[in-house]
Structures are given as C-alpha cells and as structure tokens.
Amino acid sequence: MTSVRRIFASPRARALAAQRNIPIAEVAGSGPSGRIIEQDVQVYRWQRANMSSGPAGDPDIRPDKKIQATPLARAIAQLENIDLSTVAGSGVSGKIRSSDVRPRKGESASAGLSAERVPPMKAVPMTGMRKIIAERMAYSKQTAPHVTLTVKAEVTRLVELRNQWMQDGMKVSYTDLLVKIAAKSLRAHPRVNVSMEQDGIVRHPQCDIGVAVALEEGLIVPVIRDADRRSLQDISRDLADKIKRSKEGKLRRDEVQGGRFTISNLGMYEVDAFTPIINLPESAILGVGRVIEDLIVHNGQMHIGKTMVLSLSFDHRVMDGAPAALFLKNIKELLENPEALRDSL
C-alpha cells in the first residue's frame, strides 16, 4: 500500500503557490507542526530563482554575498524592491532578519502614499495684527496667573425687557447691556478695577470697558469710556460706531488703549462657555456665552427660562478669589434683575 502525505498549508500559501506555479509539496513548512505558510513559499520562490540564475546570477536576483541576511529577508527585499544595503540588521553580527525588512516595507509604502496624496505644507509667517496678538496672549498667560470663575445667570427678565425696548424702537444689544452692567459692578467693586505696574497695584477711578471685536485678521478691543456714567443709548451708539470703524480700520490709537476691563461675547457664535485670556495690563476679563432656553429649578419649583453662562478670568497676583467672586455675583444679580437698568436709558 502506498501512503499519501497530507500537506498542511495556509490558504494564503496555497494561493501564492498556485499563482507562481510552485508545487506546494516541495515547500518546507516552518509553521506549527510543519505547516506551510506564505513566507515559506516566498523563500522557496527565491531559492529556485537563485538556483536557476546560474553561477553568474541575475543581478536582480543574486544576493550580495557581502550582506548577511536570512533567506526570507532576501526574498522579501527582492519582492518589495528594497535595497538590503540600506537595512540595519538586528541578528547575530548584524545579520538582517525578515523582521528588519518588514518595517522598511511599511515605511516605504507609507512614505509613497504620503508623498503622492499630501502636498508639502508651507508655514505662513505671522505678521501685523496676528503677530502682535500672538505675542500679547503668550505674554499674558506666561505673566499673569489666570483663575477663571464661572456662573450661570437666569436672564429671562432681561430678554423680555430687551425685546420690549426693541419693539419701542430702541436698539440695544446684549453686549451694550453687559458693558453698562460691568461698569456699574466695577464701580461697586474697586478692588477689581486695578492693574499691576512696576511691581505695584494701581487702583483706577475710571470705569472704561473694552469690547473684543473679531476682525478677519484678528481681534481689536475698542474702549467705551466712563461707561458707568453714560446712558444705555449713548453706550449703544458709541459701541456701534467703534465696531463699524474697527472693521474699516479707522479707529484711532487712543480708542483702543487704557481699558480697565474687557468683555468678550461669543454668544452669537453659539458658544456656551469659555476661558478668556486677560488683556494686560487689565486684571480681569468677562467671557459671555449664548442665551439659551433652559430648565430652571427655584425653591423646589421648575420652570422654563433663559440662561447665560458668564466666565470671569482674573489675575491672581492682584486679587484673590473672594473679591472676584463678589464682582461676578454683582454682575449676575444685575442681569437677573434688569429693572434697575431702566434709569440708565
């Protein structure tokens, strides 16, 4: 009786052998229990090609005898067009193993794909306003220890009051209202209306409020002078004019200098809350989020109303958390009880 040897081979090894017309029975298996794997077929293919090339050898197939490499490493290098002289071997005496060639294979494919699909990137130098903003923001974060306090205010009555004013023909934005409220709070909390200059704390009598205005090339902060003493309509006209001239590049230098406190309102961009960076030499800045419809619980009762998130960043060198918190609480109370603003029209 004649026994037939059963050939154990992986599906990929069989497919490669059939594709290359290699008799699978002649391939020595290196897998578990002698199983033939794809790499064994590759080694067999390389050995057969090397033997058929004769003593002279095909320069594309004949291995370089000066380079120490395993048969499998040479086979992979040949199939993938990898120059073994550029591969560092990790075997004994620097012998190149198959694992040394595989990473190079992956790198080559990745590099080729990257070079083909991704155009080279060029850095655009920062100039003008963008460069100045970058320098000032970096200096502020590196110099002043920032602390940010956040509170949610119910502004249902403020929204209703503003809508009533708009129907009566008086155009007042939420930023206008915040300028007035911040100025009133600054007047009531002089410990926030300070700045650090030459290692000393300077208290300022003016309540000059800056408003961050987004331009295509960056930010600019026009200042509303003595906002605590001016009417809402006056503030609204002044701010609208300065925003317009900001975008036209017509603001004077003195109109963007000397602010004591800044407001950055990102509510129109549907931002809920953020941590603003202090506009030095000022000591604090108020970040304002959008007005949203919210579920409010008060004294165990629930109702639907309007809320707004306020984020106050302050310089911890010149003030502590308590005075900053009281200042923010004052702003919240004025927003939630806007009737007091009627006298400011």
Side-chain angles (χ1 to χ4, degrees), residues 63 89 163 218 226 230 343:
N163 289 340
D226 297 315
R230 299 168 64 176
D343 297 335

Side-chain angles (χ1 to χ4, degrees), residues 176-184 227-228 230 232 235 344:
D176 298 334
L177 291 164
L178 285 160
V179 168
K180 183 64 179 180
I181 289 173
K184 288 174 69 70
D228 60 317
R230 299 168 64 176
L232 262 174
I235 290 173
S344 303

Side-chain angles (χ1 to χ4, degrees), residues 245-264:
R245 289 191 290 118
S246 294
K247 296 179 179 179
E248 296 172 350
K250 296 180 180 180
L251 280 183
R252 301 188 308 272
R253 182 179 295 272
D254 63 287
E255 293 178 310
V256 295
Q257 293 180 336
R260 303 305 176 204
F261 182 84
T262 294
I263 294 173
S264 180

Side-chain angles (χ1 to χ4, degrees), residues 40-175:
D40 299 329
V41 180
Q42 291 174 332
V43 170
Y44 179 90
R45 178 189 171 207
W46 174 83
Q47 290 174 336
R48 190 174 67 174
N50 186 43
M51 291 173 60
S52 65
S53 64
D58 186 337
D60 292 334
I61 299 176
R62 184 180 70 250
D64 187 347
K65 298 300 183 183
K66 296 180 181 179
I67 300 176
Q68 298 295 317
T70 64
L72 181 56
R74 292 186 184 279
I76 295 174
Q78 178 188 338
L79 292 172
E80 301 297 336
N81 295 320
I82 296 175
D83 184 0
L84 285 176
S85 65
T86 65
V87 179
S90 62
V92 179
S93 300
K95 190 173 186 178
I96 299 172
R97 301 186 301 177
S98 62
S99 59
D100 301 323
V101 183
R102 291 193 191 100
R104 294 296 300 270
K105 172 186 172 183
E107 291 170 8
S108 300
S110 177
L113 183 63
S114 177
E116 178 182 353
R117 295 186 179 181
V118 181
M121 305 298 290
K122 293 183 179 180
V124 178
M126 286 195 296
T127 58
M129 180 180 289
R130 187 73 263 164
K131 183 177 181 180
I132 294 172
I133 292 172
E135 292 173 350
R136 286 177 60 85
M137 294 298 98
Y139 176 74
S140 177
K141 287 293 286 185
Q142 293 168 4
T143 303
H146 283 55
V147 177
T148 302
L149 307 178
T150 303
V151 69
K152 181 188 287 188
E154 182 184 356
V155 293
T156 307
R157 288 152 66 184
L158 181 73
V159 172
E160 294 171 352
L161 184 60
R162 176 178 176 267
N163 289 340
Q164 179 184 329
W165 286 339
M166 295 288 284
Q167 291 175 2
D168 294 340
M170 193 183 81
K171 295 182 179 180
V172 176
S173 69
Y174 288 116
T175 302

Side-chain angles (χ1 to χ4, degrees), residues 27 121 149 267 279 311 313:
V27 180
M121 305 298 290
L149 307 178
N279 184 25
S311 302
S313 293

Side-chain angles (χ1 to χ4, degrees), residues 191-204:
R191 284 191 292 177
V192 178
N193 195 10
V194 297
S195 61
M196 175 170 280
E197 299 178 17
Q198 298 180 350
D199 297 326
I201 298 177
V202 178
R203 294 180 179 269
H204 301 288

